[in-house]
């Protein structure tokens, strides 16, 4: 192909090889795949165009595993190469158990890394030479097409090639052709609905990972790493209809005795092998289902689809990836999907702006789910238009979305398409998953720009690609839901990051450990977009433009021009500095990207009347407020895996640097901004005061009363009072005398009004521009927080004011402010929800339960009939009111009395609302609201005194019991209704099961497994099955032998990878529960005993469990494996957590259900290597590796008789007696002179070599016995007597020794040996 392509412009130079590179690059690849549903097999062939970078190249190392190669060629020359089947590594011959886990792990350790060991090594044949091109001829990748492609595909390919620039290379390219087959695939691809008992629609899809190489090599030979990118042409062959996918291939026997199966000729003896293979289910399909067309969704741009010329029951779809991409971004999905076009929901204005550049967008789903797809994906057409208008051209010509079952993650991104979980779908009557699902879908779409088109340069840059994709998704949600939703979400995420980013690695380091634990990705996905958000705020303030969007658009433009397909943190920093007029961002990236943790500020302020300025002192305290490491239920396995991988927490930063905006609202209400640099541990800022007159002397109460009267009577306020109206624009509800009396509202005291009148400013707010991810402790008087809450229109300021108020002691006035905030509909609904939840803090006996009264009053006023406590029929048409209704229920359930229990009136209130809930007139589902009520009711049933009191002397015990019975009846009623009419994700049933397990743990209802066992069966919903197992493990713990065996069996054999993954998380959480001692207290309390340790050392050991992962692991072993005493060992080759603690070496006999179940799970033929890796982590935690293997050998048996039956047949029979002593030394026969051969004719001499006599019926089949294991009965049995002198003669009267003599003498006989008695020869 050299010299076929030319370029009139100067072509770019090829990459320069170095010693670390393999000496070649892959410039293009063609892939042809065929999917076999019945055998769960993937077949195919590929053509790889390899460009040598050095002439001495003799071997090409590629990636391919889990399959077998049937043909290999280099430039048309065949060669042989062996690929190790990774599935055969699972299992060790011999009598193995859990002690050999390290031996099994070592066999496939390289399968989960980028290592090329045990993979495809292509040795260039000697008759293939690497030619030198003349004058560096430009080479165009994929210049030819495979045979059989149609003209449309060829034309599309040529158009695609025109967008790929030719590169000048020195050597001629090589072409590698390979044919392969992956039988019973279980890594990188998943089949659904083809197993026996699985009634779902059959479909198949690939399980790619956006930033993790390893998936592509499980599907086809390739160079599977992050740095390899090339163009692809993909063709996928599948059955034409659903009937064709499930029925066996038609077989025809031709006249030559050769069977033709689906166009493939095979020998007659091969048919039995195929027919004997285990077949999937034979589902009886309806005529309508049989005719369902199988839809193929492939990577890149769709080119054409046609019938298979060799088999009319199959079809072939062709796709082209003109943009260079990584192999692990190549994927597909095949199934009887319905097609939904989402272009009709496109915004007309955006459609006019884009014109012909509007990208078609389609969604695929299983039959019957198109309505859910429309409800879920309606905003996606607007999303792709928004991204195109703000972040340059879409990298491809179309976008596809396919919703499938059993996907572990919510989304899988491939070129120009996304494979999504059906768990994201919801119908139009469901409100709760609206924002989370939309954000996830928008992120998956944004990954086509950041992730597919532009990828990370290495793992330390993964944070950047994820952060940009989520940053784009959040900007779209800002347009879709408004600025208030966007800013409130960013603030709540910042608060969450401050809580989680403690003793954690930096953002850059988290990318290198993204495969260690799934929580690493969760932290990146939460923190990375926040870092880009505050960077955007800083750039926007510096440049006064769009900020970060310009830099991101420039990156995508460079990728479109083929300048760079990967991005690094350093290059991104330089791009941002160019957009910010050369502002240095090194400090910012060192703190937020390469550093870990978040700052904490202590702020004190003082007004200096002499200098007429406000003095603010800002101190950073994150270095002195270091929290000790605490092992939790959700972090136990993560901490252990990080310790094994050597991942350490990021360095503690004592000082964070950057600019901060101080905003002071002075007496006239005017805000003034003061920007200062925070660059030291303690920073003092002097803020000048601008107002020339003092605060208005009229009291706050008179102003509020005047505004309320003006609103009621319609009077016009003018003059000085008109300015006051603008000050109190929010929270001025419930102002009339009647409303104040009815709602029991409080007023400011005379002392508080005097202090307010003496203040020189309204309030002070730090970081007003939201440029920090931090914790801010800036105490102010209550009235300043109230002023900020009522007068600042920014929802972030209102949220900070509420948090400031809730951090102070509860008062009657606080409850008044909160209830006015809840009742004011002008507040953003999330602010009202926060205020409603805060009212529970004011529901105390000291305040005469004023908070509870206000919550009941709010619910009665907004959701009940006038003058009644009976709720009106639900109406969720106003989503903000629905969220507030749920928040009031949650707040009521969080009220506690002095005995730490929910008060009796609250219990009755919650039961009343559940009993009289009416959703008959509501167009929206109330499943999540009912779930909230059940959770609240369950919380009220828990008796928190049980942990402190051994006896209950409550006089109202009978009333409590009757209430508990009635409450559980209501829960059972809701559960039965949900089983008949399933709710979204079975939320009602799963909530009821979770609540019952909580009550069982608290000893409020009897412990019984029968409550959950039926829900664990496979015919139940996966959500119900998962919750049932969660409840069983949570209540009965993993110490229950039968439960543990059953749990591990389902964990390793269930066909759903999502359920297996979730069960593994349940298993890990159950182990964490035991490790930190939670179940130990429950078991002791269940026996009616107080948890009291006999000595101080034991108490200290229990306390140390949560302080050190090493102590927690040792405690786990002591709790789980306590049948026999254990001995502590120290193995230099097996040291955990960098020599911080030793190991307890436990034999499997310490807990046989755990040892047997765990070993069966590890060696299960159903789990993937990822599943196996997580199980090995548990094996490593509990069992030290044993580098020896027991071997079973057969003991030799004494021969019983030897019979020569003629015709060269000798029958040797063995006795059942074991020969436990060495046999007599045999005489070596040599060739003797002829005069000595007469000795062989002497019967007396021949009789000395015959076998002893054996009684009839004493011959038995030898049994397997462990090496060295001899029972006492056999040990005391004397050795058998030596052979007798008797001679066994055959039917012809000749001695047996004569026959042996003939066999070993000059005449050679061809003997057929036949063994009798079921034994084997010695």
């Amino acid at each position: 192909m050299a010299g076929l392509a030319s370029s009139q412009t100067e072509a770019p130079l090829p990459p320069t090889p170095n010693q670390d590179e393999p000496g070649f690059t892959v410039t293009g690849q063609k892939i042809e795949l065929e999917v076999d549903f019945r055998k769960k097999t993937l077949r195919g062939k590929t053509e790889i165009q390899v460009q040598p970078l050095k002439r001495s190249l003799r071997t090409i190392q590629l990636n391919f595993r889990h399959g077998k190669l049937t043909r290999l060629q280099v430039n048309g020359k065949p060669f042989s190469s062996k690929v190790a089947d990774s599935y055969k590594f699972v299992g060790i011959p011999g009598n193995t158990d859990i002690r050999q886990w390290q031996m099994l792990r070592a066999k496939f350790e390289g399968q989960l890394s980028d290592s090329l060991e045990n993979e495809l090594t292509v040795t260039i044949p000697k008759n293939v030479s690497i030619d030198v091109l003349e004058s560096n001829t430009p080479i165009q990748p994929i210049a030819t097409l495979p045979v059989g492609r149609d003209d449309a595909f060829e034309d599309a390919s040529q158009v695609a090639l025109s967008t790929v620039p030719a590169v000048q290379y020195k050597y001629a390219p090589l072409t590698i052709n390979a044919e392969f087959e992956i039988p019973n695939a279980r890594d990188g691809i998943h089949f659904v609905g083809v197993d026996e008992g699985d009634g779902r629609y059959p479909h198949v899809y690939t399980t790619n990972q956006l930033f993790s190489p390893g998936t592509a090599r499980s599907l086809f030979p390739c160079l599977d790493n992050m740095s390899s990118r090339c163009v692809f042409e993909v063709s996928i062959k599948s059955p034409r209809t659903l009937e064709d996918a499930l029925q066996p291939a038609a077989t025809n026997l031709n006249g030559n005795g050769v069977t033709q199966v689906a166009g493939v000729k095979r020998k007659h003896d091969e048919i039995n092998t195929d027919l004997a293979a285990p077949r999937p289910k034979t589902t009886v399909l309806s005529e309508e289902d049989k005719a369902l067309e199988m839809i193929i969704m492939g990577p890149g741009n769709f080119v054409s689809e046609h019938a298979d010329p060799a088999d009319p029951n199959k079809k072939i779809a062709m796709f082209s990836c003109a943009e260079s991409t990584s192999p692990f971004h190549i994927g597909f999905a095949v199934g009887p999907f319905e097609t939904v076009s989402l272009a009709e929901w496109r915004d007309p204005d955006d459609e006019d702006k884009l014109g012909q550049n509007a990208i078609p967008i389609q969604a695929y789903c299983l039959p019957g789910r198109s309505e859910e797809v429309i409800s879920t994906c309606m905003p996606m057409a607007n999303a792709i238009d928004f991204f195109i208008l703000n972040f340059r051209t879409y990298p491809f010509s179309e976008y596809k979305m396919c919703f499938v079952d059993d996907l572990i993650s919510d989304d899988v991104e491939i070129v120009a398409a996304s494979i999504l979980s059906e768990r994201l779908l919801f119908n139009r009557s469901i409100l709760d998953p609206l924002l989370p699902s939309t954000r996830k879908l928008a992120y998956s779409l944004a990954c086509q720009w950041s992730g597919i088109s532009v990828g990370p340069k290495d793992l330390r840059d993964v944070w950047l690609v994820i952060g940009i994709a989520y940053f784009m998704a959040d900007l779209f949600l800002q347009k879709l839901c408004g600025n208030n939703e966007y800013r409130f979400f960013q603030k709540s995420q910042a608060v969450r990051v401050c809580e989680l980013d403690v003793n954690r690695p930096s953002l850059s380091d988290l990318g290198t450990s993204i495969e260690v634990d799934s929580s690493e990705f969760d932290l990146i996905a939460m923190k990375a977009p926040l870092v880009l958000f505050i960077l955007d705020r800083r750039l926007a303030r510096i440049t006064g433009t769009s900020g970060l969007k310009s830099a991101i658009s420039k990156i995508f433009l460079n990728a479109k021009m083929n300048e760079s397909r990967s991005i690094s943190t350093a290059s991104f920093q330089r791009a941002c500095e160019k957009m910010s007029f050369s502002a240095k961002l090194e400090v910012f990236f060192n703190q937020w990207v390469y550093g870990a943790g978040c700052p904490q500020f202590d702020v004190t302020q003082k007004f200096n009347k002499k200098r007429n300025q406000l003095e603010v002192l800002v101190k950073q305290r994150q270095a002195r407020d270091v929290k000790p490491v605490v092992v939790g239920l959700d972090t136990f396995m993560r901490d252990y895996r990080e310790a094994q991988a050597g991942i350490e927490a990021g360095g503690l930063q004592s000082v964070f640097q950057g600019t901060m905006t101080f905003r002071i609202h002075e007496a006239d209400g005017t805000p003034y901004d003061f920007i200062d640099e925070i660059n030291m541990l303690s920073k003092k800022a002097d803020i000048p005061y601008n107002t020339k007159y003092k605060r208005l002397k009229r009291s706050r109460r008179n102003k509020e009363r005047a505004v309320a009267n003006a609103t009621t009577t319609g009077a016009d306020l003018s003059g000085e009072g008109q300015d006051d109206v603008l000050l109190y624009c929010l929270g001025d509800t419930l102002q009339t005398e009647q409303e104040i009396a009815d709602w029991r509202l409080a007023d400011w005291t005379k002392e508080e009004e005097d202090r307010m009148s003496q203040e020189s400013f309204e309030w002070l707010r730090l970081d007003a521009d939201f440029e920090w991810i931090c914790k801010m402790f800036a105490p102010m008087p209550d009235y300043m927080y109230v002023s900020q809450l009522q007068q600042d229109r920014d929802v972030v300021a209102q949220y900070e004011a509420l948090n400031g108020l809730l951090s102070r002691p509860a008062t009657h006035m606080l409850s008044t402010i909160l209830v006015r905030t809840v009742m004011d509909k002008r507040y953003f609904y999330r602010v009202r929800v926060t205020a409603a939840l805060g009212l529970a803090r004011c529901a105390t006996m000291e305040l005469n339960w004023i908070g509870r009264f206000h919550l009941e009053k709010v619910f009665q006023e907004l959701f009940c009939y006038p003058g009644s406590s009976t709720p009106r029929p639900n109406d969720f048409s106003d989503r903000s009111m629905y969220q507030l209704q749920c928040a009031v229920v949650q707040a009521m359930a969080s009220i506690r009395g002095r005995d730490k229990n929910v008060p009796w009136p609250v219990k009755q209130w919650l039961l009343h609302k559940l009993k009289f809930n009416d959703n008959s007139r509501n167009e929206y589902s109330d499943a999540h609201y009912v779930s909230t009520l059940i959770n609240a009711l369950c919380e009220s049933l828990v008796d928190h005194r049980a942990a402190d009191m051994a006896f209950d002397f409550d006089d109202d015990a009978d009333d409590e019991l009757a209430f508990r019975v009635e409450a559980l009846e209501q829960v059972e009623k809701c559960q039965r209704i949900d089983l008949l009419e399933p709710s979204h994700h079975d939320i009602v049933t799963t909530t009821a099961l979770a609540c019952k397990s909580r009550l069982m743990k608290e000893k409020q209802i009897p412990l019984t497994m029968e409550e959950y066992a039926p829900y664990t069966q496979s015919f139940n919903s996966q959500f119900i099955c998962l919750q049932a197992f969660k409840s069983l493990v949570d209540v009965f713990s993993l110490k229950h032998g039968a439960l543990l065996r059953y749990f591990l069996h389902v964990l390793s054999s269930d066909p759903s990878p999502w359920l297996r993954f979730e069960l593994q998380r349940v298993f890990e959480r159950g182990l964490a529960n035991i490790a930190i001692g939670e179940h130990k207290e429950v078991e002791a309390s269940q026996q009616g005993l107080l948890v009291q340790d006999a000595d101080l050392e034991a108490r200290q050991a229990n306390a140390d469990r949560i302080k050190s992962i090493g102590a927690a692991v040792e405690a786990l072993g002591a709790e789980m494996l306590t049948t026999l005493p254990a001995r502590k060992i120290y193995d230099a080759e097996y040291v955990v957590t960098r020599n911080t603690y030793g190991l307890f070496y436990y034999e499997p006999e310490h807990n046989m259900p755990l040892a047997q179940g765990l070993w069966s799970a590890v060696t299960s033929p159903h789990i993937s290597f990822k599943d196996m890796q997580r199980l090995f982590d548990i094996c490593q935690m509990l069992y030290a590796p044993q580098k020896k293997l027991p071997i079973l050998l057969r003991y030799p048996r004494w021969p019983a008789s030897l019979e020569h039956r003629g015709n060269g047949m000798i029958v040797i029979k063995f006795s059942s007696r074991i020969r436990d002593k060495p046999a007599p030394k045999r005489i070596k026969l040599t060739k003797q002179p002829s005069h000595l051969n007469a000795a062989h004719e002497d019967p007396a001499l021949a009789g000395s070599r015959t076998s002893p006599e054996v009684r009839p019926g004493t011959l038995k089949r030898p049994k397997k016995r462990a090496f060295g294991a001899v029972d006492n009965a056999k040990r005391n049995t004397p050795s058998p007597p030596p052979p007798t002198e008797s001679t066994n003669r055959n039917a012809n009267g000749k001695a047996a020794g004569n026959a042996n003599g003939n066999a070993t003498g000059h005449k050679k006989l061809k003997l057929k040996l036949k063994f009798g008695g079921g034994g084997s020869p010695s």
Side-chain angles (χ1 to χ4, degrees), residues 254-272:
N254 59 22
N256 298 327
V258 178
T259 303
Q260 187 171 353
V261 182
V264 180
K265 293 185 178 181
R266 298 180 180 177
K267 295 182 180 180
H268 185 69
D269 55 0
E270 292 181 354
I271 302 176
N272 296 332

Side-chain angles (χ1 to χ4, degrees), residues 2 80 667 688 794 819 894 918 950 1252:
S80 61
D794 186 7
V819 74
S894 62
D918 183 8

